[in-house]
Amino acid sequence: GAGVSQSPRYKVTKRGQDVALRCDPISGHVSLYWYRQALGQGPEFLTYFNYEAQQDKSGLPNDRFSAERPEGSISTLTIQRTEQRDSAMYRCASSLMGESDTQYFGPGTRLTVL
Amino acid sequence: AQSVTQLDSQVPVFEEAPVELRCNYSSSVSVYLFWYVQYPNQGLQLLLKYLSGSTLVESINGFEAEFNKSQTSFHLRKPSVHISDTAEYFCAVSDDGGYNKLIFGAGTRLAVHP
């Protein structure tokens, strides 16, 4: 079956612009996670949803970052007024139920802020 | 909060030689432990995980990892590597919250040479 998909795969934007990154989880997966991965580092947790409810947003670096999952399926991570330090790979993962279930990762969106 | 240390950023090894990729995590009452692999130009894939029970866990492609609570380690081993094992390997631990908020190490790049 289809895995986790993310779009766009690559995004180049100018500083100060807003960007929206999309994640389409595996069908039927309850939990959805966003991570950010800087070059040479492991993924860093940003936020997490169960169904449409945002359970934990403690990893969002500041209020320019927000995420939603209005219908409990597709999720959008939005970064407002982008800065160069936001450049990274943004990864989405989904799991069937959450605790102890395997997280399946998408291919990621490479964001470059000029 | 949990933290994960992967002591080796790069591990070069010849084909058919044994390899060990080291992972240590900060102590906690109970944790779930994971190894993820990222092949070139691909997303993260789960290699193996420890949730409970036997401290030795195995993957389908010959890797194994042993949970050592006293040493807070979860080292990954393979007795004989192949060229196709060349990839980046990430150790991860569940956050103390109990659900699958994963804390990743910085990764170890395994380079297998003929």
Side-chain angles (χ1 to χ4, degrees), chain A residues 37-107:
Chain A
Q37 186 175 10
L39 275 175
Q41 299 295 319
E44 174 191 25
F45 173 83
L46 295 177
T47 187
Y48 151 69
F49 292 84
N50 268 348
Y51 300 101
E52 71 281 359
Q54 192 170 19
Q55 300 290 327
D56 184 338
K57 56 181 181 179
S58 62
L60 296 177
N62 52 59
D63 60 8
R64 294 186 298 106
F65 287 73
S66 62
E68 62 175 8
R69 193 186 184 197
E71 298 179 0
S73 179
I74 293 169
S75 176
T76 303
L77 176 71
T78 301
I79 309 173
Q80 295 180 312
R81 306 180 302 282
T82 52
E83 301 177 4
Q84 286 186 328
R85 60 178 172 159
D86 299 333
S87 296
M89 177 73 83
Y90 289 82
R91 297 192 183 277
C92 173
S94 69
S95 68
L96 190 58
M97 284 299 294
E99 183 162 353
S100 82
D101 277 331
T102 297
Q103 290 188 28
Y104 295 88
F105 281 80

Side-chain angles (χ1 to χ4, degrees), chain A residues 2-17:
Chain A
V4 177
S5 61
Q6 292 185 245
S7 61
R9 292 292 308 277
Y10 302 91
K11 177 70 177 178
V12 180
T13 190
K14 292 183 178 179
R15 188 177 52 191
Q17 297 294 307

Side-chain angles (χ1 to χ4, degrees), chain B residues 10-17 81-86 109-114:
Chain B
Q10 296 187 60
V11 173
V13 64
F14 288 109
E15 195 173 19
E16 298 183 5
V81 294
H82 302 288
I83 296 286
S84 59
D85 293 324
T86 294
R109 185 169 299 278
L110 176 64
V112 182
H113 302 284

Side-chain angles (χ1 to χ4, degrees), chain B residues 39-101:
Chain B
Y39 298 104
N41 301 315
Q42 296 188 28
L44 289 162
Q45 303 173 34
L46 180 69
L47 187 60
L48 47 77
K49 63 182 178 183
Y50 170 80
L51 303 180
S52 64
S54 173
T55 57
L56 186 66
V57 290
E58 299 177 351
S59 72
I60 58 173
N61 58 352
F63 282 94
E64 64 180 29
E66 186 162 17
F67 168 57
N68 187 320
K69 187 174 183 179
S70 63
Q71 296 185 7
T72 60
S73 68
F74 192 55
H75 300 330
L76 182 70
R77 302 183 183 94
K78 188 170 184 179
S80 176
V81 294
H82 302 288
I83 296 286
S84 59
D85 293 324
T86 294
E88 186 144 25
Y89 292 79
F90 293 94
C91 181
V93 62
S94 61
D95 187 69
D96 293 339
Y99 55 78
N100 257 354
K101 173 182 173 180

